[in-house]
Amino acid sequence: MAWVRWSSDGGDEAVESGGNRRSGSTWLRAHGSTLLLAYQSFGVVYGDLSISPIYVFKSTFSGRLRLHVEEEEEIFGVLSLVFWTITIIPLFKYIVFVIGADDNGEGGTFALYSLMCRRSKMGLLSTPQVAHEHLSALKPDPPTGETRTSSLIKEFFERHRSSRVLLLLTVLMATGMMIGDGVLTPTMSVLSAVSGVEVKISGLHEYSILIIACFILILLFAIQSFGTHRVGFLFAPIMISWLVSIGGVGIYNIARWNPSVVQALSPHYIIKFFKITQKDGWMSLGGIVLCITGAEAMFADLGHFSKTSIRLAFMGVVYPCLVLAYMGEAAYLTKHKEDLRRSFYKSIPEPIFWPVFIIATLATAVGSQAMISATFSIVSQCRAFRCFPRVKVVHTSGEVHGQIYIPEVNWALMVICLAVAVGFKDTTLIGNAYGLAVISVMVITTVLMLLVITTVWRRSLLAALCFAAVFGSVEMVYLSASLAKVPHSGWFPLALSLTVVAVMAAWHYGTWKKESFELQNKVSLDSILSFTQDLGLRRVAGVGVVYSGAGAGTSVPPAFAHFVTNFPALHSVLIFVSFKPLAIPRVPPEQRFLVARLGPPEHRLFCCVVWYGYKDSRSDSHAFEELLILKLAEFLRQEAAAAATTGGSAEKTVAAPLAAVEELMEAKEAGVAYLMGHTRVYARRSSPLLKKLAIDVFYGFLRRNCRRPADELGISPSSLIEIGMVYYV
């Protein structure tokens, strides 16, 4: 409310307007960040979904369906299918339901998996009890009443390890399909846009189109290193211009060619469509499904933005513009059935053709950005769960978590995109592969949501089945039509996904076997110290940080035992550090370290467990070193304070922690060295052939060709001591 002071000189107006300005500034402060994120989301999230009108009708009528287009009912049927598909899947499924299943702001199939891992023992990634006790992010939710369905599902997964393995493989399959989507999106969209030039320039050689498309693809992947933040600002104006253009052209075509096209929004035309076309209509669903390409990016890219910004951009701009664009193109087709294969560009009015063509070409580059960003996000999650080889993850924004760039993945995607473009050439073949990749991820998301609804949200089985019946039935129909295209290039996303699953499964299995070996072959710290004392153990100045995959405790990893028995010298302060992944996006820095002392105080030996989430960065060794020493100093003060409460003089209470902290700081000034095992892992000679193949061939190849652990942690070579070891697992 604005307070008004009455006066004869119009002072009331000045005061009231000032109050409105204050209210306006308050509103901007409250909602400005959301509006800014919504603006950026146009260039990152919605590009793929928004450029689908370029190729949906072209792909739909590429097969035998064009033989049935004699009356406008068939075109109305296709439009009705498109309208209800983008309404049911992107709007209701993702915007209303799936985005609500975020994992502390993060989205994607691995986010759903982490929710189940954290709330139950349904996943292979277990959370230690000590983590639940120390981390606020893992505190149990207020009890809402465990349902019988939830209990039965959790009990089934806990009892059968094979079900947990199958669940992980399902998640990995979705990851592989998402990566396939990240390959096919740029190829399909750029080739479709560039081919529009043939409408105005006849007789153009097909290789000219291909060369231009390849150049655009190379340029697109080259700018990824600038980060999502800068790319979003660069691409958002292009995407908004594109949406306004296709929405405006749609309104023009509806008004000029066939205003009665609005009748096609009735689902009655879907029934008539299948009655007329029958099997050919079912086969055409492989083209219609392309209207929802990029819908999964709204969930996978959630960590880059927020739920409110994603919903605001979609419902306010993207959805209405897409509906108008499809309606306008259908209206044009009812009067120009001879343009079935080129309807999008043919429907553009002549005076604005070239401006729209230029915007379309730029928009397809933006459309590719959505799935590229989503691929970065999901690979980062897989890597944190130890399901992907070590790669370099660059955090491109200091303000917004989750905005990352992965060079190795970026260039690999570029090479595969170019290979697909050169190999297939035809957008119809690429569309067949594209549709299968898109709908497969959506079906898996629906299955995971079924488990989340029952076990995490603890809703009734009826609610979960209603969700699956409404959305799963639609997706399964599209999946069946897409699977029929497997012989016609549909095999490509399957082959690529299976390759990715094989890589991730081999890496996860090999890492698990390596850590299991270290746990089974830990050496007692007391035996090490007693043995080295006989050899004349020496303590040298400095801090030694020993990385251990075996966890903290009274035992040490075999690599350290091998080192100290051959070189009986230890740093004056020794810290055994163990990184432990948790099924949460981020761990607060103040809760990340759990420090304990090993042995008597005079040994100056400590262990430290470092918890991290799948969105936390671990590449800044200097910041980690400073925080580790700080947490150790805090531990020493707390230890002395705790000892003082059990007895002792005040002088000792003050002097003990000061002396221990001073020793620690002196050791730090002398230098910090990092000890890390450089291991080679082989299967035992008695192992089955499949295990030898997984460990010796696949896992060995991946370890030799991925980033070294020291590089992943950002450790300088001048501070690194590597200990060679051979494990027979």
Side-chain angles (χ1 to χ4, degrees), residues 112-446:
L112 297 176
Y113 182 68
S114 72
L115 281 174
M116 290 182 283
C117 288
R118 189 164 69 250
R119 305 295 177 84
S120 66
K121 297 180 181 179
M122 296 171 62
L124 292 178
L125 180 64
S126 60
T127 303
Q129 182 61 33
V130 66
H132 285 282
E133 297 171 357
H134 286 81
L135 300 181
S136 59
L138 291 174
K139 298 297 182 183
D141 296 332
T144 58
E146 187 83 14
T147 65
R148 178 173 176 79
T149 301
S150 174
S151 300
L152 291 175
I153 293 175
K154 290 179 179 179
E155 182 181 350
F156 175 81
F157 277 92
E158 291 172 9
R159 184 181 302 173
H160 301 92
R161 176 179 170 80
S162 58
S163 64
R164 301 197 298 274
V165 173
L166 180 61
L167 180 62
L168 178 60
L169 290 176
T170 302
V171 174
L172 296 183
M173 177 63 74
T175 303
M177 285 294 183
M178 280 289 290
I179 294 175
D181 203 353
V183 168
L184 294 167
T185 296
T187 312
M188 178 70 176
S189 57
V190 172
L191 272 175
S192 297
V194 175
S195 63
V197 76
E198 295 177 332
V199 174
K200 295 297 182 182
I201 305 177
S202 58
L204 193 65
H205 198 280
E206 62 174 341
Y207 288 109
S208 301
I209 300 295
L210 185 61
I211 291 172
I212 296 173
C214 290
F215 173 77
I216 295 175
L217 288 172
I218 293 172
L219 183 62
L220 173 66
F221 285 100
I223 66 173
Q224 293 301 315
S225 59
F226 292 103
T228 305
H229 176 72
R230 295 183 179 88
V231 168
F233 266 106
L234 175 66
F235 282 172
I238 299 173
M239 208 65 248
I240 294 174
S241 301
W242 166 252
L243 288 167
V244 171
S245 298
I246 62 175
V249 170
I251 294 173
Y252 168 82
N253 285 327
I254 294 171
R256 179 177 180 182
W257 300 113
N258 194 349
S260 64
V261 76
V262 295
Q263 300 174 12
L265 302 185
S266 170
H268 169 70
Y269 284 94
I270 297 177
I271 300 174
K272 293 181 66 176
F273 172 78
F274 284 113
K275 283 184 177 179
I276 296 171
T277 60
Q278 298 182 5
K279 181 180 178 181
D280 293 336
W282 171 72
M283 291 291 292
S284 71
L285 294 177
I288 295 175
V289 74
L290 298 179
C291 71
I292 53 175
T293 57
E296 186 73 25
M298 292 190 293
F299 186 43
D301 280 333
L302 187 59
H304 296 244
F305 303 98
S306 66
K307 288 185 284 188
T308 304
S309 63
I310 295 288
R311 286 167 171 160
L312 180 64
F314 181 80
M315 292 189 290
V317 180
V318 177
Y319 179 75
C321 287
L322 285 177
V323 171
L324 290 172
Y326 286 117
M327 290 176 64
E329 190 172 350
Y332 174 85
L333 272 177
T334 58
K335 306 301 181 183
H336 304 83
K337 298 181 179 63
E338 69 279 1
D339 293 332
L340 288 174
R341 294 298 307 276
R342 298 180 295 178
S343 57
F344 177 79
Y345 284 109
K346 283 286 189 178
S347 67
I348 300 174
E350 183 70 25
I352 62 171
F353 175 85
W354 287 111
V356 173
F357 172 77
I358 294 173
I359 296 174
T361 304
L362 295 174
T364 54
V366 180
S368 307
Q369 176 64 41
M371 295 315 302
I372 295 173
S373 299
T375 301
F376 290 160
S377 296
I378 203 164
V379 166
S380 177
Q381 294 176 12
C382 294
R383 163 186 164 274
F385 280 127
R386 300 180 183 179
C387 292
F388 202 88
R390 290 181 294 269
V391 291
K392 182 178 182 180
V393 178
V394 180
H395 292 257
T396 57
S397 174
E399 293 80 19
V400 182
H401 290 286
Q403 296 191 357
I404 59 175
Y405 165 68
I406 305 178
E408 296 96 329
V409 174
N410 183 65
W411 302 122
L413 288 177
M414 187 193 74
V415 171
I416 301 175
C417 279
L418 295 175
V420 170
V422 174
F424 288 121
K425 299 184 185 69
D426 185 8
T427 55
T428 300
L429 294 176
I430 298 175
N432 293 340
Y434 195 13
L436 181 58
V438 169
I439 198 63
S440 297
V441 177
M442 292 181 177
V443 170
I444 293 175
T445 299
T446 300

Side-chain angles (χ1 to χ4, degrees), residues 511-653:
T511 303
W512 173 64
K513 295 299 291 185
K514 172 181 174 292
E515 293 183 353
S516 298
F517 179 88
E518 291 181 343
L519 286 171
Q520 295 170 3
N521 292 273
K522 292 189 298 184
V523 182
S524 170
L525 182 62
D526 292 335
S527 62
I528 290 291
L529 293 177
S530 62
F531 177 72
T532 52
Q533 290 290 352
D534 297 336
L535 298 178
L537 177 67
R538 297 184 58 190
R539 305 298 291 268
V540 297
V543 177
V545 179
V546 182
Y547 284 102
S548 167
T554 59
S555 301
V556 298
F560 176 76
H562 176 68
F563 170 79
V564 78
T565 52
N566 287 276
F567 301 94
L570 298 177
H571 293 83
S572 57
V573 176
L574 201 64
I575 310 171
F576 293 92
V577 174
S578 176
F579 284 97
K580 293 298 178 185
L582 297 177
I584 55 177
R586 285 173 291 273
V587 177
E590 64 274 10
Q591 300 179 7
R592 188 167 295 165
F593 294 82
L594 180 62
V595 182
R597 182 186 290 277
L598 298 177
E602 59 270 17
H603 283 172
R604 296 185 296 279
L605 302 177
F606 305 90
C607 64
C608 178
V609 177
V610 184
W611 312 111
Y612 65 92
Y614 55 79
K615 285 291 184 179
D616 286 326
S617 173
R618 294 180 290 155
S619 58
D620 190 346
S621 64
H622 178 72
F624 171 78
E625 178 183 306
E626 293 292 332
L627 196 55
L628 177 63
I629 299 299
L630 176 64
K631 293 298 181 182
L632 184 54
E634 290 180 3
F635 169 78
L636 292 173
R637 295 189 184 97
Q638 294 172 1
E639 184 184 51
T645 59
T646 61
S649 64
E651 294 181 358
K652 289 183 178 180
T653 302

